[in-house]
Amino acid sequence: MRKTLDFYFDFGSPTAYLAHKRLGQLAALYPLDVTYKPMLLGGVFKATGNTSPVAIPAKGHYMMAHDLPRFAHRYGVELNPNPYFPINTLNLMRAAIAAQRLDCAQTFINAMYDAVWVQGKNMGDTEVVVAALTAHALDAQALLALSQDPEVKTELIANTEAAVARGIFGTPTFFMEDQMYFGQDRLDFVEEALRH
C-alpha cells in the first residue's frame, strides 16, 4: 500500500537538503509519495522560540565539518558548504509555491537545492537565481513574477503557520500516517515504518 509523507522544508537548511536527497532514494525503494510543503524556517523559529544549530558556534562547526559530511557520504550524495550561508530564503520559498502552481515543483526544488548545497551559489542574488532556473529549462521570469503574487505570499505565510500548528519547530520535519519525525537523521524511522 502506498504511503504519503509530508515534507516541511526550507532551502536554507543543509539537513533539509540531505533529507530531500534521501527521500528521493526511499521513494525509489518503497511505494512512497512525498508531498513538499514549503515553509519559512525563520518564521517557524520566531513562532517557536527556536534557533538555528549554527547559532551555537561549536555545534555549527561540528555539524558542517563532521556530521553532515558523514551523512552525505552515507547517502552517496554531494554536499558542499555554501559561502553565503545563512541565506535569506524568503523569495526562494515563495517561488517554490509558484513552482507548485506552475507544475514544475520537482525540477525547481532539485535546481534550488543543488544551487545552494552543491554549487554553493549566492541564491540571494536574483541574477544568480535566474541563471540557475534557466540552466534547468525553467521559465525564470514566470516563476519569479508569480512568486510576488499576493496569493502566493499569503500561502507561504499560511503554510508556515500550519507547520507551527502541527508542532513543527524546525526543518526537515516529516509527517506520515499522523506520525511526526524531525531531522534527516531520523529517516531510518521513516524507512522502518515503510517496511510495515
Side-chain angles (χ1 to χ4, degrees), residues 95 102 126 129-135 137-147:
L102 295 174
T126 303
V129 173
V130 168
L133 294 173
T134 303
L138 291 163
D139 187 338
Q141 298 307 323
L143 282 162
L144 295 182
L146 185 55
S147 75

Side-chain angles (χ1 to χ4, degrees), residues 10-192:
D10 184 307
F11 293 120
S13 166
T15 53
Y17 160 78
L18 288 173
H20 162 68
K21 292 294 191 180
R22 182 62 181 148
L23 285 171
Q25 295 170 351
L26 292 177
L29 294 171
Y30 301 95
L32 175 66
D33 297 314
V34 179
T35 302
Y36 282 77
K37 302 279 192 179
M39 67 177 194
L40 195 61
L41 185 56
V44 170
F45 282 166
K46 185 176 180 181
T48 62
N50 196 7
T51 187
S52 170
V54 298
I56 301 168
K59 186 174 185 179
H61 172 75
Y62 168 76
M63 283 185 63
M64 299 305 288
H66 303 289
D67 196 48
L68 299 187
R70 287 174 183 149
F71 276 102
H73 179 74
R74 173 180 287 175
Y75 301 153
V77 300
E78 190 173 357
L79 169 66
N80 297 306
N82 187 301
Y84 303 99
F85 180 81
I87 300 156
N88 181 339
T89 59
L90 176 61
N91 287 322
L92 295 182
M93 300 318 298
R94 287 172 173 168
I97 290 173
Q100 289 177 335
R101 293 184 175 204
L102 295 174
D103 295 322
C104 60
Q106 203 57 53
T107 302
F108 176 84
I109 291 166
N110 289 336
M112 293 302 96
Y113 267 131
D114 285 350
V116 176
W117 296 112
V118 177
Q119 300 157 359
K121 293 186 177 178
N122 180 6
M123 299 306 281
D125 183 326
T126 303
E127 289 184 11
V128 176
V129 173
V130 168
L133 294 173
T134 303
H136 286 81
L138 291 163
D139 187 338
Q141 298 307 323
L143 282 162
L144 295 182
L146 185 55
S147 75
Q148 299 307 305
D149 184 282
E151 287 187 7
V152 168
K153 292 180 178 181
T154 299
E155 186 173 338
L156 180 60
I157 293 168
N159 280 8
T160 304
E161 291 174 346
V164 172
R166 285 187 93 172
I168 290 174
F169 50 85
T171 188
T173 302
F174 324 96
F175 285 88
M176 190 168 69
E177 296 183 336
D178 295 323
Q179 290 294 309
M180 176 174 155
Y181 305 86
F182 170 73
Q184 66 82 26
D185 53 346
R186 300 298 188 267
L187 283 172
D188 54 336
F189 289 118
V190 170
E191 184 171 14
E192 190 175 278

